[in-house]
């Protein structure tokens, strides 16, 4: 099964990315995690995201575009990056989520991707 | 009237539901579909066994019927789309030769139901439904929610198992102790928490606890939980007088306790050899039940065991029970300080213990008794408390404190 691992980072972590003192440690953690993921062969996709301040949210209301600066929800942790992994079950996915550097200070959300079997059971099939 | 056949179906349902369901759902993780198929198999047994007679191997018959339903449903779904792995898995499962060769996957099922990814409040209901085959309405009333709401929670949990890919597996040795704790906690919650057994699921919880000790005979805490539940269940008949009034533990007639259950409890307590909260709970209940032999309760030992228990599980229930034990052991003033340190403004037992301590230290308990009564759900317990508190105020009128 494929799972999306969402690394939800704190403002502090986002700030560390460009911090001259703590940046090295921050990036070393992610480098090791990425290396472990690609080494194990479970990763099928990944991406790192710029901080939430760079986000822009769009809604269409009454035919009008409503554009606003920032993420759609103002939460303490914000999406900082994602990984798609292919593993046998949720326990295996949770193992990888627990290893994610964001788990220590922020949070890591694990979501299953819809399967062909699921699509087939719905109107999409 | 095909009463025999009907009884055979009912017996098969009670004895084999969990076993057959676990087997059917293991390959697909689709509990809901497996339940539907199995229910249909039981239904067709009710229809055909009176005519054809009860088959030699009822479990195998039911499994075959249920699997046929699952395969038909999968084929129906998949014809328009593509051949899918679940169908292949079902088709290639070996037909069981005899009932005893149906591999027992109930342990896997228990771990699935009590997986940390399942909402904590639905783990016990899910276990009761999946492993014991209890219907949602019965479970709902035991947990004080509407059948519709309970039905929705159960459906959501089963959908999560399937869609999130919660494994149908016994966790590896590094995860086992923590995950077993979730299983045991869910069984304990089914039994009913702490002071009142309002859930009415005593027998069901005992069946689950026995099952875990059979499937994991080497796990100390599983034996500890079973021993604690058995000791509690042994007192079941003594909790109510013949007229239905509530009888507190220290006033119960030990002749109404069940010796067979207490003996079974002691056997399992002896097998709980590693430290853990359920072993401590069992030891506490064991000391209580020794009153059947010695005629008195060793409150000092019970208080010491509760000290141990709160070190393991610092729950409000454990803290208040510890306070009650220390009060009985003769330290009501110290217990008041203990209670002051707790944050439990709506926990009924807290106010009962506080009222007792105030009364014993000669202080005015009326504030605490009023709150205790206001928080009491069980009418029989409320009646008992009303009587107790009234006796105190009469006594206080006779001998005014100070």
């Amino acid at each position: 099964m494929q799972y999306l691992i969402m690394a939800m980072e704190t403002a502090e972590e986002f700030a560390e990315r460009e911090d001259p003192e703590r940046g090295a440690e921050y990036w070393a953690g992610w480098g090791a995690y990425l290396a472990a993921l690609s080494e194990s062969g479970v990763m099928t996709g990944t991406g790192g995201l710029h901080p939430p301040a760079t986000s822009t949210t769009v809604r269409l209301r009454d035919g009008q575009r409503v554009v606003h600066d920032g993420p759609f929800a103002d939460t303490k942790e914000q999406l900082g990056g994602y990984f798609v992994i292919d593993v046998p079950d949720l326990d295996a996915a949770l193992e990888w989520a627990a290893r994610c550097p964001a788990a220590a200070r922020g949070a890591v959300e694990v979501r299953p991707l819809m399967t062909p079997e699921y699509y087939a059971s719905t109107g999409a099939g | 009237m095909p009463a025999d056949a009907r009884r055979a179906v009912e017996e098969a349902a009670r004895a084999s539901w969990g076993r057959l369901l676990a087997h059917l759902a293991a390959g697909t993780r689709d509990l809901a579909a497996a339940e539907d198929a199995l229910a249909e198999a039981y239904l067709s047994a009710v229809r055909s066994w009176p005519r054809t007679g009860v088959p030699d191997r009822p479990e195998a018959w039911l499994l075959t019927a249920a699997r046929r339903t699952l395969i038909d449903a999968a084929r129906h779904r998949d014809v328009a789309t593509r051949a899918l792995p679940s169908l292949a898995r079902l088709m290639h499962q070996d037909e069981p030769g005899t009932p005893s060769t149906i591999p027992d996957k109930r342990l896997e099922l228990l771990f699935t139901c009590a997986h940390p990814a399942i909402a904590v409040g639905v783990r016990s209901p899910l276990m009761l439904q999946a492993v014991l085959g209890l219907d949602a309405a019965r479970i709902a009333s035991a947990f004080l929610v509407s059948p519709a709401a309970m039905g929705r929670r159960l459906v959501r949990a089963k959908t999560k198992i399937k869609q999130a890919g919660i494994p149908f597996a016994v966790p590896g040795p590094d995860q086992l102790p923590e995950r077993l704790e979730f299983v045991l906690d869910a069984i304990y919650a089914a039994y009913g928490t702490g002071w009142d057994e309002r859930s009415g699921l005593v027998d069901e919880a005992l069946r689950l606890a026995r099952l875990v000790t059979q499937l994991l005979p080497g796990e100390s805490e599983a034996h500890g939980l079973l021993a604690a539940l058995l000791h509690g269940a042994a007192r079941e008949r003594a909790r109510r007088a013949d007229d239905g009034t509530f009888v507190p533990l220290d006033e119960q007639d030990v002749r109404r306790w069940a010796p067979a259950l207490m003996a079974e409890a002691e056997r399992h307590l002896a097998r709980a050899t590693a430290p853990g909260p359920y072993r401590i709970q069992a030891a506490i209940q064991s000391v209580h039940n020794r009153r059947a032999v010695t005629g008195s309760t060793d409150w000092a030992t019970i208080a010491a065991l509760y000290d141990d228990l709160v070190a393991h599980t610092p729950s409000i229930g454990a803290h208040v029970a510890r306070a009650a034990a220390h009060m009985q052991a003769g330290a009501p003033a110290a217990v008041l300080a203990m209670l002051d340190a707790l944050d439990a403004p709506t926990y009924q037992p807290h106010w009962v213990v506080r009222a007792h301590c105030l009364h014993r230290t000669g202080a005015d308990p009326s504030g605490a008794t009023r709150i205790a009564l206001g928080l009491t759900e069980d009418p029989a317990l409320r009646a008992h408390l009303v009587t107790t508190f009234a006796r105190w105020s009469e006594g206080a009128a006779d001998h005014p404190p100070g």
Side-chain angles (χ1 to χ4, degrees):
Chain A
M1 284 187 66
Q2 295 205 81
Y3 295 87
L4 176 66
I5 293 185
M6 290 175 269
M8 313 300 292
E9 295 184 274
T10 59
E12 195 181 51
E13 287 170 281
F14 281 112
E16 281 173 17
R17 290 177 175 183
E18 296 179 18
D19 188 297
E21 279 167 31
R22 290 175 300 169
E25 197 185 332
Y26 172 89
W27 289 112
W30 286 104
Y33 185 57
L34 259 171
L37 272 171
S38 47
E39 189 72 20
S40 73
V42 297
M43 190 165 68
T44 58
T46 181
L49 303 178
H50 279 294
T54 63
S55 222
T56 310
T57 303
V58 182
R59 292 178 173 86
L60 206 60
R61 293 290 179 273
D62 302 324
Q64 295 290 308
R65 285 181 187 178
V66 183
V67 178
H68 83 83
D69 172 40
F72 85 96
D74 193 20
T75 50
K76 223 174 91 208
E77 289 101 4
Q78 290 283 347
L79 189 63
Y82 69 89
F83 307 86
V84 181
I85 59 169
D86 195 348
V87 292
D89 57 40
L90 181 64
D91 276 359
L94 295 180
E95 290 280 334
W96 282 108
R99 294 180 189 120
C100 178
R105 285 185 288 171
V108 179
E109 186 175 332
V110 179
R111 205 76 91 85
L113 267 65
M114 291 188 278
T115 58
E117 197 170 8
Y118 174 77
Y119 284 121
S121 73
T122 65
Chain B
M1 182 63 206
D4 282 356
R6 183 171 290 269
R7 198 171 313 124
V9 175
E10 277 167 12
E11 263 163 36
R14 199 165 303 128
S16 331
W17 177 272
R19 209 181 164 88
L20 295 177
L21 184 71
H23 192 71
L24 286 165
T28 61
R29 293 175 191 153
D30 194 340
L31 263 185
E35 279 173 340
D36 288 348
L38 192 54
E40 199 162 310
Y42 279 106
L43 209 64
S44 61
V46 172
R47 277 192 229 108
S48 67
W49 290 4
R51 280 185 288 111
T52 61
V54 178
D56 295 340
R57 293 169 290 142
E59 283 197 341
W61 190 100
L62 288 161
L63 190 59
T64 305
R67 189 178 289 154
R68 203 172 293 137
T69 305
L70 275 180
I71 291 173
D72 282 351
R75 198 176 273 146
H76 186 74
R77 234 187 7 252
D78 300 344
V79 155
T81 53
R82 51 213 124 204
L84 293 170
S86 68
L87 183 55
R89 272 197 297 271
L90 281 169
M91 308 255 279
H92 291 108
Q93 268 173 14
D94 291 327
E95 288 291 318
T98 64
S100 60
T101 64
I102 299 172
D104 194 345
K105 298 227 191 286
R106 283 177 297 176
L107 192 57
E108 285 85 342
L109 183 58
L110 283 165
F111 278 106
T112 306
C113 293
H115 194 279
I118 301 284
V120 66
V122 81
R123 290 178 201 159
S124 323
L126 194 56
M127 252 183 205
L128 291 164
Q129 188 174 63
V131 183
L132 300 184
L134 260 61
D135 68 73
R138 166 90 200 279
I139 299 169
S141 56
F143 285 85
L144 293 173
V145 298
S146 77
M150 181 54 81
R152 280 194 298 274
R153 278 183 216 173
L154 288 165
V155 167
R156 211 178 300 136
K158 286 172 212 163
T159 305
K160 174 136 194 200
I161 290 171
K162 185 183 169 200
Q163 292 185 347
I166 292 177
F168 230 83
V170 176
D174 53 327
Q175 286 265 306
L176 186 71
E178 187 198 338
R179 296 277 309 278
L180 179 61
E181 211 178 295
F182 295 136
V183 172
L184 300 180
D185 288 351
I187 295 172
Y188 188 66
Y191 179 85
T193 44
W195 293 50
D196 55 332
E197 281 81 38
R198 64 171 165 232
S199 73
L201 294 171
V202 172
D203 289 343
E204 285 75 11
L206 282 178
R207 281 176 66 199
L208 288 173
R210 283 202 183 96
L211 180 63
V212 178
T213 60
Q214 284 154 17
L215 298 172
L216 287 172
E219 290 297 324
S220 171
E221 279 292 271
H223 289 285
L225 172 69
L226 178 56
L229 297 191
L230 285 166
H231 266 311
R235 300 194 296 261
E236 183 78 346
R237 273 186 59 242
R239 275 189 196 105
R240 296 276 190 264
D242 289 332
D243 60 359
T245 52
F246 175 83
V247 186
L249 175 52
D250 49 350
E251 289 169 28
Q252 283 171 17
D253 179 356
V254 299
R255 287 167 305 180
R256 293 177 75 124
W257 293 353
L261 291 179
M262 291 194 275
E264 190 188 349
E266 288 299 315
R267 283 199 298 279
H268 286 283
L269 181 53
R271 295 182 68 181
T273 48
Y278 286 115
R279 183 177 77 156
I280 301 171
Q281 298 245 37
I284 291 169
Q285 299 309 323
S286 172
V287 177
H288 273 299
N289 287 9
R290 217 166 289 155
R291 180 158 69 85
V293 182
T294 64
S296 65
T297 301
D298 181 356
W299 284 108
T301 301
I302 291 177
L305 285 167
Y306 270 118
D307 290 347
D308 252 11
L309 183 64
V310 295
H312 272 93
T313 30
S315 68
I316 284 295
H319 272 291
V320 172
R322 169 176 174 245
H326 279 280
M327 177 189 74
Q328 297 279 17
V335 169
L336 281 172
M338 231 180 248
L339 292 173
D340 285 340
L342 296 179
D343 180 29
T346 57
Y347 189 59
Q348 186 262 11
H350 160 223
W351 292 101
V352 176
V353 177
R354 180 178 289 276
H356 274 275
C357 288
L358 290 168
H359 172 66
R360 287 186 188 207
T361 55
D364 175 17
S366 58
T369 57
R370 198 167 48 241
I371 298 173
L373 288 174
L375 291 172
T376 305
E377 278 177 26
D378 180 356
L381 179 57
R382 189 181 305 120
H384 165 76
L385 290 174
V386 166
T387 314
T388 308
F389 298 156
R391 206 182 300 137
W392 291 352
S393 43
E394 284 158 25
D398 293 339
H399 312 282

